[in-house]
Amino acid sequence: MVHFPAEDEGMHYEGYCIRPPSEADSILLQVTLGCSHSRCTFCGTYGDKRFRIKDDKIILSDILWASRHLAQEDRLFLMDGDALIIPQKRLLWILERIREHLPNVKRVGAYANTKSILKKSLEELKELRELNLGILYYGVETGDEAIREKIRKGSTAATAIEAGRKVKEAGILLSVTVLLGIGGVEHSLRHARATGVLLSAMDPDYVGALTVMLIPGTPLYEDYAKGAFQLPDEKGLLRELREMIAHTEMTRGYFFSNHASNYLPIKAKLPSGKQRALDLIDAALRGEVALKPEWLRAL
Ligand code: SF4
């Protein structure tokens, strides 16, 4: 039976929902459930959801509800995992309805992955840009090929670079996340250097460095429990962050490590703020800067 949403039902959120920290004040419109990839070994984000695109009637009902209750907001974020995977015609329809009913929204954001970006042609990405898709959040995690394969990222560093550049060429802001600790103790510095090389080639607008959290039920956690994966300690993670920033050359962008999962918050404008960031990490390594206590770290 087709369900026609009632006027006063509110937003139809399903399951555990996440959004980037920078979208905290945005209208959150859930257009997909879960993630179309759903294979990364460290990720437990959408464990309870099978990927699907939500019904157009529900999406429109949520847009109309937002137009009555959140009409003044100028940003909107499309949840869940990778809304960009939605076929072009349908995604254009969603963006057109947002423009029609929420005229104050000037920037729409979404998560993306390598597959969802490369499935779109440059022209299609530009079409989306025209309809206010202004920022994509892209988890690249590492530039190291062997680690990418091990964590089942589903793409090579070269294709990730191609995808990131395509987003920028379409005029869409590119915000990427990298994962501190994902190479374990053994490959920590190799991961840091390769990731710096990837970031330099991709040249995103924003980089957010998160620290891997070991989530029970994920394959990475099983490796950890068996002793096959060891997360670097606080100082090891700081050395990794330092090495990554030292190997990152961006023409104009920001490198953040201010996520709740990290021990040392950093906000560096690159390239001008690079040395200051490295100096701050060195001071932390010498014990001259307080690190975030374990109990304050969270996903
Ligand atoms: S692509 Fe992102 S959301 Fe999907 S499984 Fe990997 S880390 Fe999780």
Side-chain angles (χ1 to χ4, degrees):
M1 199 173 79
V2 182
H3 172 74
F4 290 93
E7 274 267 303
D8 54 356
E9 275 186 12
M11 300 289 263
H12 297 80
Y13 297 128
E14 288 184 45
Y16 181 63
C17 299
I18 63 159
R19 45 95 187 127
S22 52
E23 300 284 347
D25 297 327
S26 306
I27 298 170
L28 301 176
L29 179 68
Q30 190 182 38
V31 293
T32 60
L33 288 187
C35 160
S36 70
H37 181 57
S38 232
R39 281 177 51 80
C40 301
T41 60
F42 57 88
C43 179
T45 310
Y46 303 115
D48 59 333
K49 295 180 187 174
R50 278 189 68 184
F51 179 78
R52 72 176 163 85
I53 302 168
K54 288 180 79 172
D55 191 288
D56 286 347
K57 285 193 192 70
I58 297 285
I59 294 172
L60 182 58
S61 161
D62 285 358
I63 294 171
L64 292 174
W65 190 91
S67 75
R68 289 191 297 276
H69 300 278
L70 303 163
Q72 72 289 354
E73 302 298 337
D74 61 358
R75 287 188 179 182
L76 181 145
F77 183 74
L78 299 173
M79 299 187 299
D80 279 341
D82 52 334
L84 197 67
I85 201 82
I86 297 174
Q88 184 73 357
K89 239 176 106 181
R90 213 161 156 191
L91 191 48
L92 288 173
W93 179 84
I94 292 170
L95 292 173
E96 278 162 359
R97 297 294 74 75
I98 292 168
R99 182 178 267 189
E100 180 184 350
H101 297 291
L102 291 161
N104 285 332
V105 169
K106 297 292 178 285
R107 189 182 89 177
V108 176
Y111 286 123
N113 60 34
T114 313
K115 184 170 86 182
S116 62
I117 295 170
L118 292 181
K119 270 185 94 144
K120 303 279 185 217
S121 69
L122 182 59
E123 284 318 306
E124 286 176 327
L125 287 174
K126 285 181 177 170
E127 263 185 318
L128 299 171
R129 176 70 198 95
E130 283 296 302
L131 281 170
N132 290 339
L133 182 69
I135 186 163
L136 285 174
Y137 298 87
Y138 178 24
V140 297
E141 334 305 3
T142 178
D144 187 277
E145 293 296 5
I147 300 171
R148 289 184 74 83
E149 207 175 317
K150 191 151 196 283
I151 64 173
R152 297 197 223 130
K153 203 56 217 167
S155 60
T156 63
T159 50
I161 291 166
E162 184 191 340
R165 284 183 174 164
K166 196 168 168 186
V167 169
K168 286 199 71 181
E169 200 182 337
I172 298 171
L173 286 172
L174 178 63
S175 179
V176 304
T177 49
V178 295
L179 271 184
L180 298 173
I182 195 64
V185 171
E186 200 183 349
H187 304 302
S188 170
L189 295 182
R190 195 184 84 196
H191 153 59
R193 287 189 283 272
T195 305
V197 170
L198 177 146
L199 293 173
S200 305
M202 190 185 275
D203 202 18
D205 299 285
Y206 306 100
V207 179
L210 280 57
T211 300
V212 171
M213 301 294 273
L214 295 162
I215 304 166
T218 60
L220 186 69
Y221 187 89
E222 281 164 31
D223 279 354
Y224 160 75
K226 282 188 305 214
F229 178 84
Q230 264 184 300
L231 200 56
D233 62 11
E234 289 171 16
K235 287 209 165 169
L237 289 166
L238 282 180
R239 278 192 284 272
E240 185 175 305
L241 177 63
R242 192 194 191 287
E243 189 81 346
M244 196 180 287
I245 295 177
H247 282 79
T248 300
E249 306 292 341
M250 282 159 64
T251 55
R252 190 162 166 256
Y254 289 87
F255 195 115
F256 298 107
S257 78
N258 58 346
H259 189 263
S261 61
N262 296 334
Y263 289 100
L264 179 68
I266 291 213
K267 282 186 191 178
K269 190 172 179 186
L270 295 186
S272 59
K274 183 168 173 171
Q275 193 53 51
R276 214 171 317 130
L278 296 177
D279 292 345
L280 179 64
I281 298 171
D282 287 338
L285 281 167
R286 290 193 301 270
E288 294 164 13
V289 176
L291 300 180
K292 191 184 292 177
E294 197 63 45
W295 62 270
L296 265 180
R297 292 175 62 237
L299 266 179

